[in-house]
Amino acid sequence: MSEFHYRRGVLHAEELRLDKLADAVGTPAYVYSHRALAARYRAFAAAFAGLDATVCYSVKANSNQAIIATFARLGAGADVVSQGELLRALAAGVPPRKIVFAGVGKTAEELAAGLKAGILQFNVESENELRLLAQVAGRMKRRAPVALRINPDVDALTHEKIATGKHENKFGIEIPRARELAKLAASLPSLDLAGLAVHIGSQITTVEPFAAAFARMAELARELLASGHRIRRFDMGGGLGVVYDSETPPDLASYAAAVRAAVDGLPVHVVLEPGRYLVAEAGILLSRVIYMKEGAEKRFAIIDAAMTDLIRPALYEAHQPVIPVAQPRAGANLATIDVVGPVCESGDFMARDRTLKEPTAGDLLAVMSAGAYGAVQAGTYNTRPLVPEVLVNGAEWALVRPRMEVADLIALDRVAPWLQ
């Protein structure tokens, strides 16, 4: 059963009434279920039982400290793509030896920070990055653990803005070039070529692209091992999809089988980097209807949440389920409406042409499956402060990020001396 469910006519997060929570913290607000996070992580880890593997939560999916700490307490590592995410992971208690530093544009400062922390590995994406890492490690008298991120030229069959495994994408190293860079890495004394990595995209809803990418990486690994390279880690990335609408992503058993098949017979430690899969369905965006608007061709429910709070619909044309917090009675009047925000952009919407119980001003709505790429991508356009985040555990709740005030935003700016 989902940890977001109706009980006695009111949507609950675990044992907590969401209407009461809205009264306490205001709207809009993100709400996460601790139970859902823990259950999802345990199920994912269990699918790889018996395999020499480390699960590194992909911090970019949701970087709230409480979320990272939840997974760290359960034994997870972290996949980070910036120095900021590295510092977040360390602050949340992730052991440095369970941190993988990915990303296509790491700076010398970021590489030095990873070396200083003593992380598990750097996923390197180009020759220039490899040479820069060697220089930084040499100056620091360290030996940098490296995995070459492979671009396997596999179509992930996902949205173009979250596909990363085709040759036209900016990510990774083509396989012929990877052979050359493996030789280069082996020749540089400040580098330790420890493994290979691959990540072909996000919200992948069929197992075939995973299997194809993993097989190509395994073939390359066998070739490099035969050439004398000590390939001992396989970073399989993440990208496993979830259900937002009518998707049918592969189950964990099928996904795990693709991983196991690829590494069969290889002397490697496996690194897995789930993000969206762990957090998407564990969070919602709670919002209130400001008023209804009758347009010439459409009806609009204008809510207090906006694209500044959840940009997925505007950025990716993504479907987000929207449901009322007060459970509709049987036979309630239904309406086809657009659920939109107050930001001054036509792209500011949460849902289009949805059939919902007829809303009225003051009604609470829940935007479901909003735990991934929600608050973490939020902005302050139209001088809209960042919204609070709440973590629920049973009937308890904690404010894990307070609501920002407009005064806080204004205080970030400075008026030039000649304007004062």
Side-chain angles (χ1 to χ4, degrees):
M1 182 179 73
S2 170
E3 295 297 344
F4 296 97
H5 53 270
Y6 289 110
R7 183 180 301 173
R8 294 183 293 277
V10 178
L11 189 65
H12 283 60
E14 301 187 15
E15 275 77 61
L16 187 69
R17 288 176 58 123
L18 287 173
D19 55 351
K20 300 297 185 185
L21 181 62
D23 290 341
V25 301
T27 57
Y30 277 97
V31 184
Y32 310 121
S33 162
H34 182 269
R35 284 185 194 165
L37 295 167
R40 200 74 158 181
Y41 176 83
R42 290 185 177 115
F44 189 93
F48 297 93
L51 189 67
D52 183 17
T54 299
V55 179
C56 292
Y57 167 60
S58 185
V59 171
K60 64 180 176 287
N62 186 322
S63 63
N64 189 286
Q65 292 302 109
I67 303 294
I68 305 171
T70 294
F71 294 132
R73 304 300 186 273
L74 292 168
D79 158 43
V80 304
V81 295
S82 70
Q83 185 174 355
E85 288 189 351
L86 170 64
L87 296 177
R88 278 189 174 277
L90 293 170
V94 178
R97 292 295 298 169
K98 287 188 175 183
I99 296 178
V100 172
F101 202 148
V104 73
K106 308 177 198 70
T107 65
E109 179 185 0
E110 289 179 314
L111 296 172
L115 286 166
K116 183 178 179 181
I119 65 170
L120 178 67
Q121 72 185 31
F122 296 88
N123 290 355
V124 170
E125 307 216 12
S126 67
E127 178 179 348
N128 285 338
E129 182 187 349
L130 193 70
R131 291 187 181 278
L132 178 61
L133 178 57
Q135 293 169 10
V136 174
R139 287 197 297 267
M140 296 177 66
K141 295 182 169 50
R142 302 284 183 97
R143 196 152 184 252
V146 169
L148 298 179
R149 177 175 173 176
I150 306 305
N151 183 320
D153 197 27
V154 169
D155 189 348
L157 304 177
T158 188
H159 193 282
E160 64 178 359
K161 292 181 180 177
I162 51 177
T164 62
K166 291 285 287 178
H167 281 172
E168 63 261 28
N169 302 133
K170 68 179 180 179
F171 298 96
I173 303 161
E174 293 81 5
I175 288 175
R177 189 81 177 106
R179 298 185 183 103
E180 301 171 22
L181 294 191
K183 293 178 185 177
L184 175 61
S187 73
L188 297 170
S190 57
L191 299 184
D192 171 22
L193 179 58
L196 300 175
V198 69
H199 177 72
I200 58 172
S202 184
Q203 186 54 13
I204 300 170
T205 55
T206 178
V207 76
E208 285 77 15
F210 289 120
F214 297 161
R216 291 180 191 182
M217 190 164 76
E219 182 181 357
L220 176 61
R222 290 186 175 90
E223 181 182 331
L224 294 178
L225 283 164
S227 300
H229 296 285
R230 291 186 63 241
I231 303 300
R232 55 194 185 275
R233 276 199 293 273
F234 252 31
D235 185 334
M236 317 295 270
L240 186 58
V242 301
V243 177
Y244 290 106
D245 186 12
S246 56
E247 302 94 340
T248 55
D251 58 28
L252 276 176
S254 300
Y255 175 69
V259 171
R260 292 177 188 275
V263 300
D264 186 38
L266 287 171
V268 294
H269 177 83
V270 173
V271 178
L272 302 155
E273 297 169 351
R276 183 193 311 269
Y277 186 82
L278 298 183
V279 296
E281 295 176 44
I284 67 166
L285 177 58
L286 191 58
S287 182
R288 195 178 293 276
V289 176
I290 302 172
Y291 39 69
M292 296 295 297
K293 179 179 178 180
E294 297 287 343
E297 297 183 0
K298 285 197 168 192
R299 305 186 68 201
F300 301 93
I302 301 175
I303 62 174
D304 57 7
M307 62 185 288
T308 51
D309 310 310
L310 178 62
I311 201 172
R312 291 190 70 253
L315 183 59
Y316 306 121
E317 301 83 37
H319 179 100
Q320 297 280 166
V322 178
I323 63 174
V325 169
Q327 187 174 22
R329 292 196 177 103
N333 291 332
L334 300 179
T336 299
I337 61 173
D338 283 11
V339 181
V340 303
V343 161
C344 195
E345 295 285 345
S346 295
D348 179 27
F349 67 93
M350 292 293 162
R352 285 177 166 158
D353 298 321
R354 297 292 177 85
T355 301
L356 295 171
K357 169 190 168 289
E358 180 78 17
T360 60
D363 284 357
L364 290 168
L365 298 177
V367 183
M368 307 301 290
S369 298
Y373 303 103
V376 75
Q377 287 190 305
T380 58
Y381 183 45
N382 285 191
T383 309
R384 288 176 54 85
L386 299 178
V387 306
E389 296 173 69
V390 175
L391 184 63
V392 174
N393 186 27
E396 295 182 279
W397 62 273
L399 192 63
V400 294
R401 188 179 73 184
R403 186 182 301 279
M404 180 182 279
E405 301 298 332
V406 172
D408 299 327
L409 276 180
I410 295 173
L412 295 173
D413 299 343
R414 300 292 183 271
V415 176
W418 59 85
L419 297 175
Q420 295 182 10

